[in-house]
Every structure is written in C-alpha cells, then in structure tokens.
Amino acid sequence: MVKHNVKFHQLSYREMEHLRQFRRDVTKCFFLGIISIPPFANYLVFLLMYLFPRQLLIRHFWTPKQQIDFLHIYHDIRKKSHPEVLSYLEKVIPLISDEGLRWHMTELCTKIRRGTHPAIQEILALRKSFSNHPLGMNQLHASQIKALSRAMLLTTYLPSPLLRHRLKTHTTVIHQLDKALAKLGINQLTDQEVKSACYLRGLNSTLIAEERCRTWLAEWLQISCNLKEAELSLLLHNVVLLSTNYIGTRR
C-alpha cells in the first residue's frame, strides 16, 4: 500500500476487512510482546494466555466453542450500553430545534422501548439531527461517548477527546467498508462473512439464521450508503437502533 500509494478506502471489501482485523490482532500481539520482554517472563505469558484466552489470544487461536461463547460474552457487554444510549437520545429531544425531527425522534425511541424493530426510513428521517447539535459527533456528551464506545466494544479507559477520536475513526472505517460491500454485493459473501459483518455492526449474529442476517445487513447498508460524512453519528447510533429488537436477537 505504501509503495503504490494505495489508501484504505481504495482496497476491495475483503482486503479492507482483512486489514482491519489484522490491525486489531497486531495490537494484542504487541501487548503480549511488551510483557514478555523481561527475562523468563515468557513463561508467565503462556500462563496468562491459558487463563485469559478471550482477552489475550486472537480469534485464530480460539476453539469453535470458545468463539461462540466469547462472542456471546462480548455482545452481552455491549448490550448493557443500549439502555444508556437510548436514554441519552430521549434526554436531548427537547434540544433538537426542528419540531418535526423532535417528533420523529420521540416516535423512534418509543418504538424501540416497546420492542419494535424500526423501519429504514424512520431512521433516515433523523439524518439532520445527527449532523449538528446536540447529536453531531463533535457535540456528543462524554457519557454518551463512553456508552457508544462500549456498544462498539472499544475501551472506555481513555480521556474523552481520545474516545471521540477513536469512535470517529472506527465509524469511518465501517462506513468505508459498507461502501465497498455495497459495490461487491452481499450475495457475494459467504455465510460466515455475512455473520462476521453483522456482528461488527452490532448484531448478535450467532443467534440468527444466515438469511435473516443477510436481510439485516441489507437494511444496514441501505442506511449507511445514504449517509454523508457529517451524518456518521447516526451510523454510530445505528449500532443500537437497528440491532436492539431485531428478530431472534433476544435470548
């Protein structure tokens, strides 16, 4: 990529996804490399990897059972942030200047609270409210930034400016992946690739049949590909809005 001056968004979907996962795996390996530097510390590293495989080992080294169990654990962690994200949206409704957008936001939050899966147009109708105060990416409160970080399975143990930057970067990467996937076509993905794509975007795809995963992913892409860069806060919140009440996600 450096030699030919190729940017991330210029890669094909599968190349982008492999590179994204590779970067995450390298981060874990880098941490293990650091703690194994002292003499004889490598013995401690082996013990830690045995005791904490979810935290320290990359997915390549998980057993099939561990993969399912760990994905459930991770989803339970991010699911705990969903009520907090929705509560914040309800709290800022009076701060939205446009009366029509206030009504749409109230209706959307009420539907999700009642257990109804929202329609695509109901989410896209709120695009403008997520491009500036109070729900634009740069205007989100620190508490909402932390809740969204948990929803995206990102660490919350960083200062708010760094958390906001990580969320922006992570959301931009997903948006670029979405554009590449829309170009490739969901029908070109294997069942496992579809499930992985859904899980990355907030859906616990381990519980859902492949065909329903493809339907949900198509809904996500329809929303994502209609958003501009200034509206990516909506894509970030969509991790909660679109996944909370989807059929088959409740255990």
Side-chain angles (χ1 to χ4, degrees):
M1 289 174 68
V2 173
K3 182 179 178 180
H4 298 286
N5 195 27
V6 177
K7 305 299 182 184
F8 179 79
H9 67 274
Q10 296 174 316
L11 299 173
S12 68
Y13 172 75
R14 287 191 172 93
E15 289 172 335
M16 291 169 71
E17 179 57 31
H18 289 158
L19 181 56
R20 184 197 66 81
Q21 188 61 50
F22 172 76
R23 287 171 175 171
R24 291 178 66 89
D25 292 344
V26 165
T27 303
K28 277 190 176 183
C29 294
F30 180 75
F31 171 74
L32 287 175
I34 291 295
I35 63 175
S36 63
I37 288 176
F40 306 107
N42 54 317
Y43 296 108
L44 175 62
V45 170
F46 287 130
L47 177 62
L48 291 175
M49 287 191 295
Y50 177 78
L51 295 175
F52 305 103
R54 177 170 64 87
Q55 292 86 348
L56 297 180
L57 292 181
I58 62 175
R59 292 179 60 173
H60 178 77
F61 296 105
W62 294 350
T63 67
K65 183 178 184 304
Q66 283 178 329
Q67 288 189 24
I68 295 174
D69 292 344
F70 293 167
L71 289 179
H72 281 315
I73 291 172
Y74 280 129
H75 186 72
D76 287 341
I77 291 171
R78 65 184 178 186
K79 191 168 67 173
K80 290 177 182 177
S81 68
H82 290 189
E84 191 175 345
V85 172
L86 286 174
S87 295
Y88 180 84
L89 291 179
E90 292 168 335
K91 182 180 177 182
V92 302
I93 288 175
L95 302 178
I96 299 175
S97 57
D98 187 277
E99 184 179 349
L101 291 176
R102 286 201 302 270
W103 183 85
H104 278 298
M105 182 68 79
T106 303
E107 286 292 300
L108 180 64
C109 291
T110 301
K111 274 192 170 185
I112 293 175
R113 290 289 191 191
R114 290 176 179 172
T116 303
H117 182 66
I120 295 171
Q121 293 307 319
E122 290 175 324
I123 295 176
L124 284 175
L126 293 165
R127 290 167 56 178
K128 289 184 179 179
S129 60
F130 284 88
S131 61
N132 47 44
H133 182 79
L135 292 171
M137 192 73 82
N138 293 323
Q139 287 79 35
L140 293 173
H141 191 271
S143 62
Q144 185 73 338
I145 290 293
K146 287 189 176 183
L148 289 167
S149 293
R150 288 194 294 273
M152 299 295 279
L153 294 176
L154 299 174
T155 181
T156 58
Y157 303 108
L158 291 172
S160 291
L162 287 179
L163 288 180
R164 193 184 306 274
H165 175 73
R166 287 198 71 191
L167 277 178
K168 281 183 181 180
T169 303
H170 197 69
T171 308
T172 300
V173 167
I174 291 179
H175 194 224
Q176 292 170 341
L177 280 167
D178 290 342
K179 290 180 178 179
L181 179 53
K183 185 177 180 180
L184 175 66
I186 298 175
N187 60 326
Q188 298 297 315
L189 299 184
T190 65
D191 290 342
Q192 184 55 48
E193 286 176 326
V194 169
K195 282 184 170 287
S196 296
C198 289
Y199 194 90
L200 172 65
R201 291 158 178 81
L203 186 73
N204 190 4
S205 51
T206 58
L207 299 172
I208 305 173
E210 286 80 0
E211 203 55 45
R212 289 198 181 277
C213 286
R214 291 180 186 273
T215 301
W216 185 90
L217 188 56
E219 291 182 8
W220 174 283
L221 290 183
Q222 191 171 339
I223 294 171
S224 179
C225 292
N226 278 286
L227 297 179
K228 300 175 183 177
E229 186 176 346
E231 300 165 338
L232 288 187
S233 178
L234 176 55
L235 188 66
L236 178 57
H237 284 80
N238 206 36
V239 170
V240 175
L241 299 176
L242 200 64
S243 67
T244 300
N245 296 319
Y246 191 64
I247 300 171
T249 55
R250 296 191 174 187
R251 287 191 288 162

